[in-house]
Amino acid sequence: MKYNEDLIDRLREHLLPLGNQIKERKMFGAHMFLYKGKGAIGVVGDDFLVRVVKERMGQGLNRPESKPFAPRGGKGMKETLLIDPNQLKSETALGFWVDLGLEHALNASNA
């Protein structure tokens, strides 16, 4: 599967300060970034995938650039959104979603 390499490069640069706490892995049809061993964010084709804690899903879904992630047209994946990369032109916009993904991974690590 092809991935949006420009988006992957932006994510790598954005995550650089976290050093070896970030690992990359191809899984579930996505190029994933794991934080402390837990899936946080990724790229599926051209789209940006973000894991979001349950309490913040409403906030995420209320944004026009997001939609629930349903792999291969199946049932929606819990606590996971797809974000339109065309709406991530600024680092602030990208950072908002990256932070939500990191929060999800951190909560999963503490569970």
Side-chain angles (χ1 to χ4, degrees), residues 40-92:
I41 58 176
V43 177
V44 179
D46 284 329
D47 292 321
F48 182 35
L49 178 145
V50 180
R51 303 293 318 272
V52 180
V53 294
K54 180 173 57 173
E55 297 81 16
R56 307 267 308 256
M57 280 295 288
Q59 178 186 10
L61 283 168
N62 283 332
R63 297 178 66 111
E65 68 268 28
S66 71
K67 65 182 178 184
F69 175 57
R72 295 181 182 87
K75 183 179 176 188
M77 198 166 147
K78 185 171 92 170
E79 298 181 350
T80 307
L81 297 174
L82 277 186
I83 312 304
D84 178 357
N86 294 316
Q87 303 300 314
L88 301 173
K89 300 294 183 195
S90 74
E91 290 307 305
T92 301

Side-chain angles (χ1 to χ4, degrees), residues 16-28:
L16 200 55
L18 296 173
N20 64 2
Q21 295 179 86
I22 297 291
K23 303 287 184 223
E24 294 182 45
R25 184 176 297 158
K26 290 189 170 93
M27 54 196 294
F28 310 117

